[in-house]
Amino acid sequence: MHVLVAPGRFDARLDDGPARPRGVPAADPWPALTAPEAVDAVVRGWREGAPGDVLVPLPLSDGGAGLVDAVRAARGGELLSVTTTDAHGAVVPGAVLVVQEPSGARTAYVDGALALGAADPDARPVTDTTSAGLGTLLAAALGTGAGRVVVGLGGRRTVAHDAGAGMLAALGAAPSRAADGIGAASGLGAGDLPALPALREALAGRDLVALHAHDLPLTGLGGVSADLAESGRVDAGTAQEAERAVAAFAHAAASAGGTGGRVDLLGGHGAGDRGAVRWAPGAARSAGSREALAPGSGAGGGAAFALGLLGARLVEGAAWVADAVDLAARVAEADLVVTGSGVLDASALEHGVVGAVARAALPLGVPAVAVAAQLRTGRRDWGAAGLAGGFAVLERPEDAVRWRLDPAAALRARVPRIARTWSR
């Protein structure tokens, strides 16, 4: 039996999301598994349960952490090391991957997860966080001369929360103080951003793609500032302060950039453009309002919004990666696909790796099963999404202790039973 092993990253914590009590740090040491680590655990566990099966590894990404690793594992390419900074200004390693396309064109990939994160998310006020490190990586990617630049914007809740102001400062499109956080950037007016339209014009010949793993807008009741309070990272008052600052900068940047927030929904979208949005110039009732309310514009703490002002397409990350690694062709060669994520919930099915795998497998008639640390959805939901099975690693309270001690071993121990059920 030919089994394609194609999970994403296992990075959720038990207390991740609205259920996390306020005051519990977001850096709670709930261990994560990278996609390659998850692949290794599943492969080892499957061989215990079904040693005769042929296993093909394919680590995937939703555009968050591990984007470069996933594309490189499938496509190869030239990896360039880049020293950058995180959301608190600490020096961190970064990388740009340059891949040769079949057409001969080159695509540069940027994984912004480290640049938009921090070792201790609560070490600084949220209004002092910055996306400047992402700007450093983007500048390096543009410097390769690649005709297309694909930027991964991290997961649902990045530490950086500045509407991309720091990124624009690193690219020379905003004053240096914009890199000090949205609290400082909110005082800027359109007149302080004269280089922004020039940068947009300079990038007009490039295909700039921003990958998002959620559809939260930058502003509004369901935006990323409100999500800060919902997650327990900040209180309601701080979230409102951040919202006002973000909205002020968004207005100034959109006014300076000459964009009016019209969404181009008429352009053709390929498989990798699922959910794609492109902002186009035009008049608007309030500069920046529509761009800031566009689904996914809050990705990367609002870096997606700023990339949109530079002419970027905003695309669902898992769908883009699936297309980039030719997932459909690999699924067509398999008898079964095993995928997975930290949590299997509605978001994972709609925007994550699990959903992308299910959408690739269903029309080909290849069964796909998912294993997750936790199941937060039922058979009806994952079945409707195209999965033939859903399995939890944490089946009993004591399993959480095992996961904390060694998540790879916990995942590996769960897989043999799945293999014995599905192997033919």
Side-chain angles (χ1 to χ4, degrees):
M1 186 173 181
H2 186 126
V3 181
L4 179 65
V5 181
R9 180 181 170 88
F10 283 60
D11 61 355
R13 298 176 296 274
L14 281 173
D15 52 26
D16 189 27
R20 181 165 66 87
R22 182 167 293 138
V24 174
D28 176 74
W30 180 254
L33 286 175
T34 66
E37 289 171 342
V39 165
D40 182 69
V42 171
V43 166
R44 289 172 179 267
W46 198 276
R47 284 178 177 155
E48 292 178 18
D53 289 347
V54 176
L55 303 174
V56 178
L58 184 67
L60 295 175
S61 169
D62 62 1
L67 169 65
V68 163
D69 292 336
V71 175
R72 190 184 185 204
R75 299 280 306 279
E78 180 185 3
L79 191 66
L80 308 175
S81 296
V82 181
T83 300
T84 187
T85 52
D86 68 11
H88 291 166
V91 175
V92 293
V96 173
L97 177 69
V98 181
V99 175
Q100 189 93 7
E101 303 294 350
S103 65
R106 295 192 305 157
T107 299
Y109 283 87
V110 170
D111 186 338
L114 273 178
L116 296 170
D120 181 0
D122 297 325
R124 286 192 181 185
V126 67
T127 51
D128 291 347
T129 59
T130 179
S131 59
L134 180 63
T136 300
L137 292 174
L138 180 53
L142 292 168
T144 66
R148 173 179 290 155
V149 176
V150 181
V151 183
L153 293 174
R156 177 184 176 99
R157 288 167 180 149
T158 58
V159 176
H161 187 84
D162 69 346
M167 180 192 74
L168 293 176
L171 293 170
S176 60
R177 68 178 183 275
D180 295 334
I182 195 62
S186 64
L188 298 173
D192 297 312
L193 304 167
L196 183 53
L199 178 58
R200 180 186 175 95
E201 181 65 25
L203 296 177
R206 304 287 190 99
D207 184 15
L208 192 59
V209 182
L211 303 186
H212 67 98
H214 62 77
D215 59 2
L216 296 179
L218 175 60
T219 60
L221 294 176
V224 288
S225 294
D227 191 60
L228 289 173
E230 183 182 1
S231 70
R233 182 177 165 194
V234 301
D235 59 29
T238 302
Q240 291 170 3
E241 177 188 354
E243 172 80 0
R244 287 191 293 270
V246 162
F249 177 75
H251 176 81
S255 299
T259 61
R262 288 191 299 142
V263 180
D264 177 8
L265 298 176
L266 302 179
H269 299 156
D273 284 343
R274 183 176 183 270
V277 172
R278 186 192 291 273
W279 292 291
R285 56 191 178 184
S286 175
S289 60
R290 288 193 180 181
E291 297 99 323
L293 290 170
S297 60
F305 162 81
L307 286 166
L309 296 182
L310 297 179
R313 289 183 286 155
L314 183 58
V315 181
E316 193 168 283
W320 180 277
V321 173
D323 189 54
V325 305
D326 204 5
L327 176 63
R330 295 168 188 264
V331 170
E333 298 173 347
D335 300 306
L336 175 71
V337 185
V338 180
T339 185
S341 62
V343 172
L344 183 57
D345 59 6
S347 180
L349 293 173
E350 184 176 359
H351 303 293
V353 165
V354 172
V357 169
R359 286 187 289 272
L362 184 60
L364 296 172
V366 177
V369 299
V371 58
Q374 291 181 295
L375 292 184
R376 291 181 181 170
T377 187
R379 180 186 299 271
R380 176 180 297 179
D381 292 329
W382 52 251
L387 291 176
F391 304 93
V393 175
L394 307 185
E395 300 177 283
R396 301 174 299 273
E398 56 268 28
D399 291 336
V401 176
R402 296 190 183 97
W403 184 275
R404 284 186 179 276
L405 291 174
D406 191 340
L411 176 57
R412 176 180 174 179
R414 180 67 176 92
V415 172
R417 283 184 288 154
I418 303 172
R420 287 190 288 268
T421 299
W422 282 92
S423 182
R424 298 289 184 268

